[in-house]
Amino acid sequence: MSISDKVSGAAQAAIAKLVPLAPDSWIPGGVPDPLIGHQHGLIGTPVSRLDGPLKVQGSARFAAEVPLENMLYAALVFGTIPSGHIATLDTKAAEAAPGVVLVMTHRNAPTLNNPALFGSSPTAAGASDLPIMQDDRLHWNGQPIAILLAETQEQADHAKSLIVATYMPEPSTTSWAAAKAAGVQPGVFMGQKLLTEIGDAEAMLRAAPHKIDHVYRTPRHNHNAIEPHATTMVWNGDELILHDTTQMVTAEAATIADIFGIKAEQVRVISPYVGGGFGGKGLSEHQILAAAAARLMGRPVRVTLSREGVYRVVGGRTLTEQRVAIGARADGHFSALIHTGTVAMSAHNNLPEPFIMAARSGYGADSFRLSVETAAMNMVANIFMRAPGEAVGSFALESAVDELAVELGMDPIELRIRNEPDQDPTSGLPFSSRCVVKAWRSGAERFGWGRRSAAPGQRREGEWFIGMGCAAAAYPYNRMPGAAARITLTSDGAALVEVAAHEMGMGTATTTAIVAADRLGLSLDQIEVRYGDSSIPGAILGGGSQQTAAIGGAVIAAHRALVAELLKLAGNDSPLAGLSVDEVGSENGGLAKLQDPSRRDSYRAILERARRDSVTAAAKASLPLEAMHWSMHSYGAMFCEVRVNGVTGETRVSRFLGSFDCGRIINAKTAASQFRGGIVMGLGMALMEETQFDERTGRIMNPSLAEYHMPVHLDVPEIEVMWTDQPDPHTPMGARGVGEIGITGVGAAVANAVFNATGKRIRDLPITLDKVFFQDSGAARTDQNLQHRAMDARVAGDGDPSIRVQA
Amino acid sequence: MDGFYGVCLHFTINGQPVEVEVDTRTSLLDLLREQLQLFGTKKGCDQGACGACTVLVDGERINSCLALAVQYQNRAVVTIEGLGGQGSRHPLQEAFVAKDGFQCGYCTPGQICSALGMVDEVARGVPSRVTEDLAAEMMMLNHDEIRERMSGNLCRCGAYNGIVDAIRETFADGRAEHPKREVA
Amino acid sequence: MTPFRYEAACDTQGAVALGSVLGAKYLGGGTNLVDLMRETIERPDILVDVSGLAGEITEGDEGGLIIGAGVKNTALAADRRVRERFPLLAQAILSGASGQIRNMATVGGNIMQRTRCLYFFDDAVRCNKREPGTGCDAIDGFTRNHAILGASPACVATHPSDMCVALAALGAIVTVEGPDGVRALPIMDFHRSPGETPHIETNLQPGELITAVELPPLPAATKSVYRKVGDRASYAFALVSVAATMTLDGDRIKDVRIALGGVAHKPWRAVKAEATLRDGLATEEAFQAAASAALTEAKPLRDNGFKVELARRTLVAVLGQLAGAAQ
């Protein structure tokens, strides 16, 4: 990708400053990234996206837009019972339909290995480890039972309506109450139990003079990226190329290879543009089914999930039921912090919603009891969605803190600051960099928090009640292992940086180019970034708010390796002869001795003398040891003003401000958009989003963008964002993550604002108008479900347990 | 041909005459993407709920996913590929880049085409749900009006602030560039 | 989508001739029908495109209007005469759907649109509309968007149109033409309540085509308003909506028309409420009494009990707004 961006004259002059190479890794006693101390280059400035021109012209090619010769179009048919077997499957009419060349079911699907579960190895990408179309068993309502291939999409879509299936249902668990009653398991996340017990929190709670103790509930959510999942793929012999939309090119290639019993190098996943990910764009059944069908037919295949299809095969964020209890002294100090509860999971995945993360390091309580348990249901495997654990956990925790503030008669910001810990309260690790109090104070001032009435229901304008609320935001820094980068310097003085990373809107290529330019001492237009291809070495997940840090670590390592190569090539006649990597720095298109910058040699000169057109170096990032030595998070303070209509209960967000502490911000323009984007998703979670799972059948009933509400333009006010820009001394570039923190805390900020406006406390998301004025608070859609008769088998009229259904 | 009805249709697409044979079931969106390889217009839901498929037909914005191609024969269609001149972009496209009115870029062509159609509606005096004086002659392009009129275009990345800023900057003071631009 | 033949009608007679064939359906803007066809809920063999017919708005008697069925929603809402004489109709249209859909949708198509009930749309569950006699899985399911008035054990779906609620308050008359000629139906007699035959949604005879909607003139000094309440600020179906007109003589209500949306299988004309208000004083007590009268027969389902109170409050607020505006 080539770039064109104007570099200001000041920045160009500043490139002359000499930058030492970054340290190998961050350990106690080590030095910070020298880029932090050097205020030059473009880091921290607003830089327009390098792929901007392509995107606004509609020229960025997405996965369903790669044309391949002789391509077939796929359509999926989904089962309609939550558990049991396919009894009969009539595909004759579909096979005979015009244009149809293949109907693949469990009867003729090739043998496939089960996917390796995400987390079971560094490159495992499976959301579940269920067999894929290998038998007639059904595990969730919506599981694919057939894939058709036809010459056109219209023919494939029409033919799928001709498939007729009947089922033998088996007992299933589709109600939340039944799932809990059947028994809960301790939640395990990335091999660790989600359990923290320090002191006797229940006893401390009982003894506390002030306390709150409530249950908070969040429903299922779906990512709903505007681009539906889609893959265009082709087999060349035993090699498979997928043009996909994914956040994990390398892991996906490795896992698919495993499933087909071939080597990882035989699968190549290419994904330059992802039309929204949010945790949802990984490996699901559709890619595997389409690849199996493509292999049978020997022709390229495009599979594009319909919007309904996305809901059927791609899980979302699971539902939670959380108890938060806080015991406090009269001065507000927390003597006990209890955050426990249960989440729903399918039986075949390993991604419980880790909602206790915020409570683990947010407040310096004297005692803790934090735990997540899981209850199994027949549902599509739930997966991670933006800020897993943190998004829904912060709703509960930060609502509870606000409720305690009300109980104490204390300002909620003051209450939080009084419980600001000096070190991580549950791990005991020192914080790497934490300026939360500064974020609170500066945000409060900017927002006009002083104008808020502490007593609820005091401000009215016509039909509208007005209130303000606030909440803490937090997201862990978690640079993942496995990242690598490859840098090629060419004799024209340009550099190509290659990383197996992803672009789903965070501005990856731009940020990478900014950082690489600074490290290498080049200008932005001399850097080309290539990414989104599993054939590039290394594995970098486009998620967990750590891609920038992972790339940062990889570029540091590759830079080191490159400089070592250059010093070798420079030879004995170079002014740099005899120097080691740590004695030189990059500047202005070359290297120079740190202690004596007059001893310099340009990249061009080195290559020319060595009679080379280019030099390439690749390296793996150092292990992320920093997270073992320090407690590392991005932090923020969210401020919200709402207007609640006194007649209808409709809630409108009139103002919102996010005040962040996320380390050094690399690209001010794209970071601001990431913050705002997260906040918008948080507003949706707070006010309107809910996947409607019918507990009689385990079937999602609103699989569309019309019936699942996400915020529209008019729902979103001007969102102000600000940040401390305090660099973290123990991370690449001093940066922590910005991709997910925006959604954390928003739910509580809105709920707390609604309370301030109306005196009504809502503990059950989404905060729809019926909950504001027309129901008891904390109301239980869940309690009402208890009255539901969970039906184990759907009976058609005469008691026949097998069901004839037009699939 | 067995099992589908094919019709031969004429269109003007981005100023160029086009003749195609299509299945009557084909939407204008699928015609653009699958047969004409104009992938700039996007499919987000195929249901008219997201607006990513918005194109301009005789200057009016529509959801091309709900438009049967056969129903729109002989019409003039402008897609994202048809905006701007030779080697240059429409001022609104430049503003989207400057104001970061997108992130993943998937809803972006729909937002831009919709904005152009929307501004034309404002210029023609079409009111909106938030218009205070329904009977007014002139329509305003203020913050509420822009957001209400653009509410048919979803953005899951939440780039709404940047989109509104880009629209405001391009069409400030009610300057409404006519969307029927010639394609060079 | 099942294969179909497409025919563009040149005039009404031609359209009716084509549309009277078994398996034929009329195509307006396609914003609902194309979706239903893609879901395989509608499977016409022939589509008769009538969107090019009846595209004019002409003067009716004494200040009324005659709106051709082919007029697009945007054009109708933007028409100066509509904005000045029947503002609640413009407001109702503008509060529905999106700009793009309003540009495509015709008046006739808006009247004919079908429910968005989740259970109607999903052919894996039972729906008496899709398959008469099979049952209704909505009743014990997600009923947030479902009816509180006029429903039956066979069907609890609501009519999704905003425009039709305004037409109901205005006493609009729908002109249709069929193989047996032309007739007129008051809008309140156009849509049916579900009863035991929810699959029959209108009183149209086979082959009949909507050609026009006539708006009788409103008396002088009549105020009107359309208020819609939904789950997000825009682009959402109504949970409850109120279309109302009020003609005051001093502080006495000479005439009032009230229609409720989002509460029934058809736009709900609140005749009992109107009766309690007519010739009475425009007071808060009178408005409360009217709202109670409108909702005495409300039968909430599991999830939509809030609609009763929401409808009450919204109606009272609307009546208050109209009375205040008239002063």
Side-chain angles (χ1 to χ4, degrees), chain A residues 1-12:
Chain A
M1 282 173 36
S2 66
I3 27 84
S4 59
D5 208 303
K6 298 188 181 91
V7 180
S8 71
Q12 235 159 5

PDB file of all heavy atoms in Angstrom, chain A residues 1-12:
ATOM      1  N   MET A   1       0.849  -1.198   0.000  1.00  0.00           N
ATOM      2  CA  MET A   1       0.000   0.000   0.000  1.00  0.00           C
ATOM      3  C   MET A   1       0.866   1.222   0.000  1.00  0.00           C
ATOM      4  O   MET A   1       1.740   1.349   0.864  1.00  0.00           O
ATOM      5  CB  MET A   1      -0.841   0.030   1.265  1.00  0.00           C
ATOM      6  CG  MET A   1      -2.032  -0.932   1.167  1.00  0.00           C
ATOM      7  SD  MET A   1      -2.869  -1.005   2.731  1.00  0.00           S
ATOM      8  CE  MET A   1      -2.747   0.635   3.341  1.00  0.00           C
ATOM      9  N   SER A   2       0.669   2.072  -0.910  1.00  0.00           N
ATOM     10  CA  SER A   2       1.477   3.291  -0.915  1.00  0.00           C
ATOM     11  C   SER A   2       0.690   4.386  -0.229  1.00  0.00           C
ATOM     12  O   SER A   2      -0.524   4.336  -0.132  1.00  0.00           O
ATOM     13  CB  SER A   2       1.822   3.701  -2.338  1.00  0.00           C
ATOM     14  OG  SER A   2       0.648   4.061  -3.006  1.00  0.00           O
ATOM     15  N   ILE A   3       1.358   5.352   0.242  1.00  0.00           N
ATOM     16  CA  ILE A   3       0.720   6.370   1.041  1.00  0.00           C
ATOM     17  C   ILE A   3       1.056   7.744   0.544  1.00  0.00           C
ATOM     18  O   ILE A   3       2.054   7.986  -0.083  1.00  0.00           O
ATOM     19  CB  ILE A   3       1.133   6.289   2.532  1.00  0.00           C
ATOM     20  CG1 ILE A   3       2.528   5.673   2.685  1.00  0.00           C
ATOM     21  CG2 ILE A   3       0.171   5.416   3.293  1.00  0.00           C
ATOM     22  CD1 ILE A   3       3.649   6.554   2.537  1.00  0.00           C
ATOM     23  N   SER A   4       0.178   8.661   0.816  1.00  0.00           N
ATOM     24  CA  SER A   4       0.490  10.051   0.510  1.00  0.00           C
ATOM     25  C   SER A   4      -0.040  10.888   1.655  1.00  0.00           C
ATOM     26  O   SER A   4      -1.222  10.952   1.881  1.00  0.00           O
ATOM     27  CB  SER A   4      -0.165  10.462  -0.802  1.00  0.00           C
ATOM     28  OG  SER A   4      -1.561  10.306  -0.708  1.00  0.00           O
ATOM     29  N   ASP A   5       0.835  11.434   2.382  1.00  0.00           N
ATOM     30  CA  ASP A   5       0.386  12.285   3.471  1.00  0.00           C
ATOM     31  C   ASP A   5       1.424  13.360   3.646  1.00  0.00           C
ATOM     32  O   ASP A   5       2.617  13.104   3.520  1.00  0.00           O
ATOM     33  CB  ASP A   5       0.237  11.482   4.772  1.00  0.00           C
ATOM     34  CG  ASP A   5      -0.820  12.087   5.685  1.00  0.00           C
ATOM     35  OD1 ASP A   5      -0.670  13.282   6.022  1.00  0.00           O
ATOM     36  OD2 ASP A   5      -1.775  11.402   6.018  1.00  0.00           O
ATOM     37  N   LYS A   6       0.961  14.541   3.892  1.00  0.00           N
ATOM     38  CA  LYS A   6       1.925  15.653   3.959  1.00  0.00           C
ATOM     39  C   LYS A   6       2.606  15.659   5.311  1.00  0.00           C
ATOM     40  O   LYS A   6       1.963  15.575   6.345  1.00  0.00           O
ATOM     41  CB  LYS A   6       1.185  16.968   3.747  1.00  0.00           C
ATOM     42  CG  LYS A   6       0.522  17.022   2.363  1.00  0.00           C
ATOM     43  CD  LYS A   6      -0.037  18.409   2.103  1.00  0.00           C
ATOM     44  CE  LYS A   6      -0.705  18.444   0.731  1.00  0.00           C
ATOM     45  NZ  LYS A   6      -2.120  18.121   0.773  1.00  0.00           N
ATOM     46  N   VAL A   7       3.882  15.727   5.315  1.00  0.00           N
ATOM     47  CA  VAL A   7       4.649  15.818   6.559  1.00  0.00           C
ATOM     48  C   VAL A   7       5.021  17.269   6.749  1.00  0.00           C
ATOM     49  O   VAL A   7       5.596  17.890   5.866  1.00  0.00           O
ATOM     50  CB  VAL A   7       5.926  14.947   6.472  1.00  0.00           C
ATOM     51  CG1 VAL A   7       6.706  15.053   7.764  1.00  0.00           C
ATOM     52  CG2 VAL A   7       5.557  13.487   6.207  1.00  0.00           C
ATOM     53  N   SER A   8       4.669  17.798   7.890  1.00  0.00           N
ATOM     54  CA  SER A   8       4.898  19.218   8.095  1.00  0.00           C
ATOM     55  C   SER A   8       6.387  19.516   8.130  1.00  0.00           C
ATOM     56  O   SER A   8       7.205  18.660   8.465  1.00  0.00           O
ATOM     57  CB  SER A   8       4.271  19.669   9.398  1.00  0.00           C
ATOM     58  OG  SER A   8       5.012  19.142  10.478  1.00  0.00           O
ATOM     59  N   GLY A   9       6.728  20.719   7.798  1.00  0.00           N
ATOM     60  CA  GLY A   9       8.143  21.120   7.775  1.00  0.00           C
ATOM     61  C   GLY A   9       8.793  20.939   9.121  1.00  0.00           C
ATOM     62  O   GLY A   9       9.916  20.464   9.239  1.00  0.00           O
ATOM     63  N   ALA A  10       8.031  21.245  10.169  1.00  0.00           N
ATOM     64  CA  ALA A  10       8.583  21.099  11.523  1.00  0.00           C
ATOM     65  C   ALA A  10       8.924  19.647  11.798  1.00  0.00           C
ATOM     66  O   ALA A  10       9.978  19.321  12.331  1.00  0.00           O
ATOM     67  CB  ALA A  10       7.571  21.610  12.542  1.00  0.00           C
ATOM     68  N   ALA A  11       8.002  18.751  11.404  1.00  0.00           N
ATOM     69  CA  ALA A  11       8.241  17.330  11.644  1.00  0.00           C
ATOM     70  C   ALA A  11       9.449  16.858  10.862  1.00  0.00           C
ATOM     71  O   ALA A  11      10.252  16.073  11.346  1.00  0.00           O
ATOM     72  CB  ALA A  11       7.014  16.533  11.256  1.00  0.00           C
ATOM     73  N   GLN A  12       9.602  17.371   9.648  1.00  0.00           N
ATOM     74  CA  GLN A  12      10.719  16.939   8.826  1.00  0.00           C
ATOM     75  C   GLN A  12      12.040  17.342   9.458  1.00  0.00           C
ATOM     76  O   GLN A  12      12.985  16.580   9.504  1.00  0.00           O
ATOM     77  CB  GLN A  12      10.620  17.556   7.426  1.00  0.00           C
ATOM     78  CG  GLN A  12      10.662  16.506   6.350  1.00  0.00           C
ATOM     79  CD  GLN A  12      10.084  16.967   5.037  1.00  0.00           C
ATOM     80  OE1 GLN A  12       9.724  18.120   4.866  1.00  0.00           O
ATOM     81  NE2 GLN A  12      10.012  16.055   4.088  1.00  0.00           N
TER      82      GLN A  12
END
